[in-house]
């Protein structure tokens, strides 16, 4: 298992927002997703190695809710169309698989169901 590489799970907090007069009304779907991920991650074995980071916007508004997995020397994945209550455990399960892969490659067949259809991007690593 990879341990020396820095990993991050990004969560868009602007996703699924309701806007009125240029201001967000209430809690966005992305904020709800972040809160539920953080709660579930309290018991996640990788909570200290794979921090969850809020992002104001990931520019995938028509495919919300959105998360990304990123790490040095690995592919970066952007997933969308996540339903808040149906995808929390699947996101952490997929993040664990990503963490265990040296190059970050997540074949379709190995991804949990909620992350099979919602892939928005697979970005090559910089190194």
């Amino acid at each position: 298992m990879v341990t020396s590489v820095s990993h991050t799970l990004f969560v868009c907090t602007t996703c699924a927002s309701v806007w009125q007069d240029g201001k967000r009304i209430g809690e966005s779907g992305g904020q709800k997703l972040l809160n539920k991920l953080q709660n579930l991650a309290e018991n996640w074995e990788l909570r200290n190695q794979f921090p969850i980071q809020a992002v104001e916007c990931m520019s995938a508004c028509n495919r919300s809710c959105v998360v990304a997995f990123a790490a040095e020397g690995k592919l970066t994945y952007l997933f969308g169309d996540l339903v808040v209550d149906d995808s929390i455990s699947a996101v952490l399960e997929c993040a664990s698989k990503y963490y265990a892969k040296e190059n970050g490659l997540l074949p379709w067949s190995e991804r949990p169901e909620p992350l099979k259809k919602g892939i928005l991007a697979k970005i090559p690593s910089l190194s």
Side-chain angles (χ1 to χ4, degrees):
M1 183 170 289
V2 179
T3 57
S4 62
V5 175
S6 174
H7 290 74
T8 303
L9 168 54
F10 295 103
V11 180
C12 178
T13 59
T14 313
C15 279
S17 292
V18 175
W19 297 90
Q20 183 176 11
D21 299 323
K23 295 181 182 178
R24 187 172 26 199
I25 305 298
E27 187 177 47
S28 69
Q31 186 63 52
K32 290 176 187 172
L33 179 66
L34 174 67
N35 294 343
K36 290 184 179 212
L37 277 170
Q38 288 173 327
N39 287 338
L40 187 59
E42 288 178 11
N43 297 317
W44 186 35
E45 66 275 5
L46 297 176
R47 69 184 171 278
N48 296 320
Q49 294 84 17
F50 208 136
I52 299 170
Q53 181 176 328
V55 177
E56 184 66 29
C57 180
M58 291 173 54
S59 295
C61 303
N62 61 335
R63 301 288 301 271
S64 61
C65 290
V66 176
V67 301
F69 304 142
E72 297 171 26
K74 290 188 174 189
L75 296 163
T76 294
Y77 281 89
L78 181 66
F79 293 99
D81 301 325
L82 298 173
V83 178
V84 173
D85 291 327
D86 296 344
S87 58
I88 305 304
S89 61
V91 168
L92 292 184
E93 177 188 344
C94 197
S96 294
K97 291 179 181 195
Y98 176 84
Y99 183 85
K101 301 278 188 169
E102 187 173 329
N103 61 1
L105 182 63
L106 293 169
W108 183 86
S109 62
E110 294 180 21
R111 289 184 226 142
E113 203 59 41
L115 286 95
K116 284 185 174 180
K117 298 177 185 171
I119 188 161
L120 304 181
K122 179 174 83 172
I123 303 164
S125 71
L126 291 174
S127 55

